[in-house]
Amino acid sequence: MPPIYVKPENALKRSEELLALGTPQSQQQAFENLVEVFQSKKFKHTPVSILEPIVFKFLDLCVEMNRKAHARQALLQFKNAVQTTSVSSIEKVLNHFIAQAEGRLATATEQAKAEVAALPENPVVDDELPLQPTSLLLDTFVESAGDRERIERRLIAPAQKFCWDAYDISLDIAKSNDRLEVIYQSVAHRAFNFCKVHQRKSDFRRLCEQRLRKDLTNAAKYGHQQHAINLSDPETLGRFLDTRFLQLETAVELELWQEAFRSVEDVHGLVAAGKKVAKPAMMANYYEKLTQIFKAEGGKQTAVFHAAAWARYFQYAERAGISNDKAPGSVLLSALAVPLGEVETKQRLIALLNLPKMPTRDSLVKDAAGKHLKRVPADIRQIYQILEVDFQPTTACKTLAPLISSLAPEYQPYLPALREVVLSRLVQELAQVYDTVTLSHILNLVKPFENTPWSTDMPSLEKFLMSACRRGDISASVDHVAQTITFVTSTAQPNRLSDLAIVLYNTIQYLNPAPITSRADAFAAAIAQAEEERKQVAHRRQIVQKRRELMEEANLRKQREESTALAERLKAKAAEDERKAKEAAKQAELDRLRKQMDDARRAEAEQLAKQLADKGALKVDIKNIEDLDSNKLVALQVEQLAKEKREHAERLRIVGKRVDHLERAMRKEERPLLTEDYEKQKVQDKVEHERINKESKEAAIQQQKASVELKNRLGRMLPDFLTVRDTVEGQREKEFKLAREKARAKVDEEKKKLKEKLIERKKAEKAKRDEERRQAEERERQAAEEAEARAAEEAARAEEEAKAAAEIEAAKAAAAERAAAARAEREAQRAKDEELLKMRLAREEEAERRRAERSSGTGAYRRPGAPAPAAESPSSAAPALAPTTVKAGGWRERAAAKAAAEANGTASPTAAPSSPAPAAAPAEGESNGAPASERAPIKWTRGGARGGRGGGSAPPPSGRTSSGRW
């Protein structure tokens, strides 16, 4: 029997009714009702307006019941059903799902905070007895931190897990679809914020690696599909870049530097793939995060890239107008902090910084000094002058010591690297002058750095020298016994050889100067030489021109011949390729048909063989049989079955015969041995029984003797035991009394201290109350003075208001005259409206009367025994009207007119439902002192008749109308 189909809207109503019961069973039933809606085959054909509330309610239940698998399946089905018609519905549903998950997390957090706050921080102890044993025990054994962790693990952890699953499910639903790309980026941003707020580092890594990068790779891989992500679109690329920058910022805040570096690579890949240049502010943020990453990694290899990132950041920050005053100083200091010596080239980092070549310390320092030297603080400018312009080994440390102590806190992270640079520069300068230097001399040079961040002692100096030699900054050897450092100078250094050559050349020129000729002779010789060179150049130019012309002609001729030969070869090759393609297509078609036939035949045979093998009939390996055929398989099956049947029958016959003979022989040999074996067994059992009895008696005797000996031995020790016990108990009694006296003295002392504190506190409270009473009296006095001042002001203000009231009365009189003229115009217009209203009411009453006659006279339902309705006159059919005279004017005039009408006893506009008969009403033509437009509005009663005006009658006392309906 097929399942009963339930309409989705009916299932939703049923689920809401079950949820209103508020029990777990009803909640589970409501959930199952909605699951049946999603499992229905007509789900895709249901309108979106009906599906949306169902999905909302189902997702709410999934959040409450922690059913993430059902939520994923429901969102996937809803997406498949409406993604072609209503994308906004998908966005609305995803936002609702995430909002519910976040709301559950917020509720759990608040509940956990409330339970943690309810935990007692300290046990309640009476002030009079601060040293109670209960308080000491509670302070020792009660640990509230464990309770807090258990509460958070019980309440917050499941909500956080489900919230993370909600983000992951939403991203999975919205991935690889350009129509859902906006909501995809929005959910990613919310997931980043979730990881940052709750410090979910592992979830952040999983989000970046297994979700965002994988989705981006799939988007590029399947870009040819319909509605795929188009990264060439500037808006789409901009949104992806915004997400990656937020990912980078979150990774930096969570201090996940490896993930931050991968995020930088993602940003670089997107920027390189995009056709549109990124915004300067965006690139400035990119380089700022790079500075933080390189700074966190540290080391000589990344210091140069850190400085380069600072330079690039300031370049883009100036374009975007977001640079601060500290940035130029950071650019220059980061360049100065790059260690001396060569750095390994890393093309990957160079590409991330968008640099044409590997940056060096010299180029970075030169560029930073040329652009920012005038904008940096004076102390940084002096550090640059000392290190790069005029470095004096003997006085550099004295000059730098006060400068590094006065640096701003923003520049303090660069001090350790700058110390390495200063020491390297100092040792290099000493190496150019000395061959061997004592370590104490170097310590004396850096002695001004004491009591500063650059303080250096002997172990730190030796450590620096070892690391500098290992890096290759200096070439030296340290003698730890003599406490000296010896610099090693290579004779093959090019700079030393060039210096020697320059010195030798200057010496030769000084000792043997060249002969000096006259100015005129030198000028004439120069002119003659220039003319000769000009002629040679002109001749050489003619030769080159001629050769160029000949080569051009030869090249043109060669190109024409090659183009002709190439065209012929291409034509012949095209014809051959076309012929081969036709033959290959024909052969491929024949092979395809032959293969299809073979495959069909083999598939049929394999299917038959598989069926026979499943039944257990075929025992031959099918894979080793070539050229399978249905008939062959059937014959093979029959033959094998017959053979197995014969073999089985023969084996059963042989086995049965062998077992029969064996059993007969065994019983024949066993018969005479049974009696003899029985007699032997009786004798053995008797002997064994006697042996066991004897052994048990001997063991009992031995045990009793040992017990008696132990009792006698312990009896001799009893007096000594009693004496020692009395001694120990007396000593413990003395110690207990002494401890009790000490405790009592301590308690009395604490009571005395507490009493003194209470007396001091009461004195302080009394002084405080006296001070408050004095201040209150002072405030009352000031208030009385202020009240007198206000009374004087009020009197003056009353006089001014009286004058203003007289002016207002005069203005009102003028306004009343203008209102009288306007009232006359409105009375005329009201008369016209009254005539129109009378005509309309007459038509309505006539129609109502005819309708009543038709319903009462042409087969209307009448209760048994009820009298026929009496004919009503047109005048009595109309309910009583309550005209009131309302004059034109403001709200005061209307209120006065209403009060006058009530005083005169004017009837209510509508008849009460419980009255037995309607009150007499004036005819339609009578105005009763008021125009028709002032009559009460039309009101409808529960029975469907109109009250206040028209052709209806009041309902009977029983609450029913004449037609029997409410």
Side-chain angles (χ1 to χ4, degrees):
M1 181 177 179
I4 301 174
Y5 173 71
V6 181
K7 290 185 177 181
E9 51 270 24
N10 295 340
L12 178 62
K13 293 179 181 178
R14 177 58 179 165
S15 300
E16 291 177 350
E17 293 173 356
L18 290 171
L19 291 175
L21 299 177
T23 60
Q25 294 80 5
S26 61
Q27 186 182 27
Q28 180 65 27
Q29 291 179 2
F31 181 78
E32 293 174 357
N33 286 342
L34 295 179
V35 168
E36 292 178 357
V37 175
F38 286 93
Q39 293 176 352
S40 174
K41 295 182 179 179
K42 297 183 180 181
F43 180 81
K44 292 184 178 180
H45 306 290
T46 307
V48 180
S49 59
I50 297 177
L51 286 181
E52 275 190 7
I54 296 175
V55 175
F56 286 160
K57 182 62 68 176
F58 185 74
L59 291 178
D60 294 344
L61 290 175
C62 289
V63 172
E64 293 179 6
M65 303 173 68
N66 203 17
R67 302 291 183 88
K68 62 179 181 180
H70 290 84
R72 182 189 295 272
Q73 190 65 25
L75 288 172
L76 185 61
Q77 291 187 10
F78 182 74
K79 172 192 170 185
N80 294 334
V82 305
Q83 64 180 350
T84 57
T85 57
S86 178
V87 179
S88 61
S89 298
I90 302 177
E91 296 181 358
K92 193 185 303 181
V93 167
L94 291 179
N95 286 327
H96 178 77
F97 180 46
I98 295 176
Q100 290 296 320
E102 292 176 347
R104 176 187 172 186
L105 177 58
T107 304
T109 305
E110 294 297 330
Q111 185 178 357
K113 288 181 180 179
E115 292 190 9
V116 170
L119 293 175
E121 296 183 0
N122 295 313
V124 179
V125 181
D126 191 0
D127 292 336
E128 296 293 333
L129 298 173
L131 294 177
Q132 288 182 352
T134 56
S135 64
L136 296 176
L137 287 174
L138 287 174
D139 291 339
T140 304
F141 294 104
V142 174
E143 179 61 36
S144 60
D147 295 338
R148 293 189 184 94
E149 293 178 359
R150 284 190 291 272
I151 290 172
E152 292 177 356
R153 187 165 57 250
R154 176 172 54 86
L155 297 176
I156 300 179
Q160 286 182 346
K161 182 65 171 62
F162 190 86
C163 190
W164 163 252
D165 292 333
Y167 292 128
D168 185 66
I169 292 171
S170 301
L171 290 173
D172 188 27
I173 295 299
K175 68 179 181 180
S176 302
N177 195 329
D178 59 345
R179 297 174 295 185
L180 300 175
E181 192 256 335
V182 176
I183 187 64
Y184 179 86
Q185 306 296 344
S186 175
V187 173
H189 293 181
R190 297 170 77 171
F192 289 150
N193 185 54
F194 167 79
C195 296
K196 180 171 61 177
V197 170
H198 299 281
Q199 294 294 311
R200 308 280 289 188
K201 296 185 179 181
S202 59
D203 291 341
F204 180 75
R205 293 193 193 96
R206 196 181 316 127
L207 172 66
C208 298
E209 188 66 29
Q210 300 180 8
R211 177 57 61 195
L212 298 180
R213 291 195 185 96
K214 186 177 179 181
D215 292 346
L216 183 60
T217 303
N218 292 335
K221 183 178 179 181
Y222 302 106
H224 60 281
Q225 296 181 355
Q226 187 180 9
H227 300 297
I229 300 296
N230 184 16
L231 294 177
S232 59
D233 186 12
E235 295 182 358
T236 302
L237 182 62
R239 285 191 287 268
F240 269 91
L241 282 175
D242 293 340
T243 302
R244 289 306 184 275
F245 276 116
L246 185 58
Q247 173 184 336
L248 175 59
E249 182 178 353
T250 306
V252 171
E253 292 184 5
L254 293 176
E255 296 182 357
L256 299 174
W257 303 114
Q258 292 184 356
E259 196 60 45
F261 189 78
R262 295 192 188 98
S263 302
V264 168
E265 291 182 333
D266 296 342
V267 173
H268 180 265
L270 288 174
V271 172
K275 298 180 181 179
K276 186 178 179 182
V277 181
K279 297 179 181 179
M282 191 179 296
M283 294 305 297
N285 186 18
Y286 170 73
Y287 286 114
E288 183 182 6
K289 296 302 181 291
L290 273 179
T291 59
Q292 298 179 12
I293 294 172
F294 291 138
K295 178 181 177 182
E297 185 175 355
K300 178 180 178 181
Q301 299 295 329
T302 57
V304 63
F305 297 105
H306 173 73
W310 261 117
R312 299 287 286 176
Y313 161 75
F314 189 78
Q315 178 182 354
Y316 282 98
E318 274 191 330
R319 295 182 187 175
I322 58 175
S323 62
N324 52 18
D325 298 336
K326 302 293 183 181
S330 299
V331 174
L332 184 55
L333 273 182
S334 62
L336 291 174
V338 176
L340 303 177
E342 298 295 332
V343 182
E344 180 184 356
T345 302
K346 295 185 178 181
Q347 296 295 335
R348 187 179 180 186
L349 299 182
I350 295 173
L352 289 179
L353 289 170
N354 295 321
L355 296 175
K357 60 181 180 179
M358 178 68 186
T360 60
R361 185 181 185 277
D362 296 336
S363 61
L364 291 172
V365 171
K366 183 179 179 181
D367 184 66
K371 294 181 180 179
H372 314 301
L373 188 60
K374 296 182 180 180
R375 291 190 280 185
V376 299
D379 48 0
I380 299 178
R381 193 180 307 115
Q382 293 180 16
I383 293 174
Y384 167 75
Q385 294 291 336
I386 294 171
L387 289 178
E388 301 297 330
V389 179
D390 185 16
F391 186 83
Q392 298 295 332
T394 56
T395 61
C397 298
K398 295 180 182 179
T399 312
L400 287 172
L403 295 177
I404 62 175
S405 300
S406 62
L407 279 178
E410 293 81 2
Y411 306 134
Q412 294 294 328
Y414 296 104
L415 290 181
L418 280 174
R419 172 182 174 274
E420 301 287 332
V421 174
V422 171
L423 293 179
S424 298
R425 183 61 59 86
L426 177 62
V427 175
Q428 288 180 358
E429 292 295 331
L430 293 176
Q432 294 181 4
V433 180
Y434 304 102
D435 290 336
T436 302
V437 180
T438 61
L439 297 179
S440 59
H441 178 64
I442 300 177
L443 282 177
N444 291 332
L445 292 177
V446 299
K447 191 173 182 180
F449 289 152
E450 291 183 356
N451 300 324
T452 65
W454 288 1
S455 179
T456 305
D457 53 1
M458 183 61 72
S460 62
L461 178 60
E462 291 180 355
K463 182 179 179 182
F464 164 74
L465 292 175
M466 293 297 101
S467 60
C469 293
R470 185 174 62 253
R471 293 195 305 264
D473 295 344
I474 60 174
S475 298
S477 61
V478 179
D479 188 353
H480 294 280
V481 177
Q483 293 292 307
T484 59
I485 177 172
T486 302
F487 300 105
V488 180
T489 304
S490 177
T491 58
Q493 291 183 356
N495 53 353
R496 299 297 177 90
L497 292 177
S498 61
D499 293 342
L500 179 62
I502 292 172
V503 172
L504 291 176
Y505 178 77
N506 294 334
T507 305
I508 292 173
Q509 291 296 326
Y510 179 77
L511 296 175
N512 188 15
I516 301 175
T517 59
S518 63
R519 184 179 181 86
D521 294 341
F523 188 70
I527 292 175
Q529 185 178 0
E531 183 65 23
E532 183 66 24
E533 291 179 355
R534 187 188 64 77
K535 291 180 181 180
Q536 292 178 0
V537 169
H539 181 65
R540 193 181 301 111
R541 185 181 295 111
Q542 291 178 359
I543 294 174
V544 171
Q545 184 69 22
K546 186 65 176 177
R547 288 180 179 176
R548 185 182 294 113
E549 292 176 357
L550 293 176
M551 290 179 64
E552 289 178 356
E553 291 178 0
N555 289 334
L556 290 174
R557 185 166 55 255
K558 185 178 179 180
Q559 288 178 1
R560 284 195 297 270
E561 292 176 355
E562 289 179 353
S563 60
T564 304
L566 180 62
E568 292 178 355
R569 288 197 302 272
L570 291 175
K571 185 176 180 181
K573 185 179 179 181
E576 183 67 18
D577 292 343
E578 185 178 0
R579 184 183 62 79
K580 289 181 179 180
K582 290 182 179 178
E583 293 180 356
K586 185 177 179 181
Q587 185 64 30
E589 183 66 20
L590 293 176
D591 293 342
R592 185 181 64 80
L593 294 175
R594 190 179 298 109
K595 187 174 182 300
Q596 286 182 355
M597 294 173 63
D598 294 341
D599 292 343
R601 191 185 308 110
R602 185 173 183 83
E604 183 181 357
E606 286 180 354
Q607 185 177 4
L608 179 60
K610 184 177 180 181
Q611 292 177 357
L612 297 175
D614 292 340
K615 295 178 181 179
L618 187 61
K619 301 300 181 182
V620 183
D621 189 4
I622 302 173
K623 296 181 180 179
N624 297 330
I625 299 177
E626 300 294 335
D627 299 331
L628 289 175
D629 187 73
S630 303
N631 298 328
K632 292 181 181 180
L633 286 173
V634 172
L636 184 62
Q637 170 75 11
V638 173
E639 181 181 356
Q640 187 170 359
L641 288 176
K643 183 179 178 181
E644 289 180 356
K645 186 176 181 181
R646 290 193 301 270
E647 292 177 353
H648 184 66
E650 183 66 19
R651 284 196 299 270
L652 287 178
R653 186 185 65 79
I654 295 172
V655 169
K657 188 175 181 180
R658 184 184 300 115
V659 170
D660 189 15
H661 286 282
L662 181 62
E663 182 67 22
R664 188 181 299 120
M666 289 175 62
R667 290 187 180 184
K668 185 177 180 182
E669 295 294 332
E670 184 184 27
R671 189 179 297 111
L673 299 176
L674 291 176
T675 305
E676 184 181 353
D677 182 68
Y678 175 68
E679 295 297 333
K680 290 181 180 180
Q681 186 69 29
K682 287 196 300 181
V683 174
Q684 292 177 359
D685 291 343
K686 184 177 180 181
V687 173
E688 184 69 20
H689 176 69
E690 293 175 354
R691 184 184 63 79
I692 292 173
N693 287 337
K694 183 179 179 180
E695 290 179 355
S696 61
K697 289 178 181 179
E698 293 176 355
I701 293 171
Q702 294 294 333
Q703 185 178 4
Q704 199 271 341
K705 290 180 180 180
S707 299
V708 171
E709 292 177 359
L710 179 61
K711 179 182 178 182
N712 296 331
R713 188 167 59 254
L714 293 178
R716 292 193 300 270
M717 296 170 59
L718 182 61
D720 297 335
F721 166 73
L722 295 175
T723 303
V724 173
R725 187 183 65 180
D726 295 339
T727 303
V728 172
E729 287 180 353
Q731 185 178 359
R732 288 184 180 177
E733 181 70 20
K734 292 179 182 179
E735 292 176 356
F736 173 72
K737 291 180 180 179
L738 181 61
R740 183 171 58 188
E741 293 297 333
K742 289 182 180 180
R744 184 178 292 109
K746 190 172 182 180
V747 169
D748 295 338
E749 183 180 356
E750 292 293 333
K751 286 183 177 181
K752 183 178 179 181
K753 290 181 181 180
L754 181 60
K755 187 179 296 182
E756 292 175 356
K757 290 181 181 179
L758 290 174
I759 293 171
E760 292 177 358
R761 186 173 62 187
K762 290 181 179 179
K763 289 181 179 179
E765 291 177 354
K766 182 178 180 182
K768 185 178 179 180
R769 286 195 298 271
D770 295 340
E771 181 64 22
E772 291 178 353
R773 188 181 301 107
R774 188 186 60 79
Q775 292 179 358
E777 292 175 356
E778 182 66 22
R779 286 195 296 270
E780 290 176 358
R781 185 183 59 79
Q782 294 178 359
E785 293 177 356
E786 292 176 358
E788 292 177 358
R790 283 197 300 271
E793 292 177 359
E794 290 291 338
R797 191 181 299 111
E799 293 179 1
E800 295 177 358
E801 289 179 355
K803 294 180 181 179
E807 296 176 357
I808 291 171
E809 290 297 332
K812 282 184 178 180
E817 294 178 359
R818 291 193 299 271
R823 191 181 302 114
E825 295 179 0
R826 285 196 298 271
E827 290 293 338
Q829 182 64 30
R830 188 179 293 118
K832 294 180 180 179
D833 294 340
E834 182 182 359
E835 294 297 330
L836 295 175
L837 183 60
K838 285 181 179 180
M839 296 174 62
R840 184 164 62 85
L841 290 176
R843 289 194 298 269
E844 291 179 358
E845 290 172 356
E846 182 65 21
E848 190 69 23
R849 183 181 59 79
R850 293 177 179 176
R851 191 180 301 111
E853 291 177 356
R854 284 195 301 268
S855 61
S856 60
T858 58
Y861 174 74
R862 184 182 303 167
R863 290 180 299 171
E872 297 177 342
S873 63
S875 60
S876 63
L881 298 177
T884 58
T885 304
V886 181
K887 299 182 180 180
W891 62 274
R892 293 184 178 85
E893 288 77 2
R894 290 194 296 271
K898 182 177 180 182
E902 291 178 354
N904 294 332
T906 305
S908 177
T910 57
S914 60
S915 60
E924 289 296 330
E926 297 177 356
S927 61
N928 198 14
S933 60
E934 297 291 336
R935 296 181 180 178
I938 301 173
K939 294 185 180 179
W940 293 86
T941 61
R942 293 175 61 185
R946 293 183 298 175
R949 188 166 63 220
S953 61
S958 61
R960 293 181 178 270
T961 60
S962 59
S963 59
R965 295 186 303 164
W966 287 101

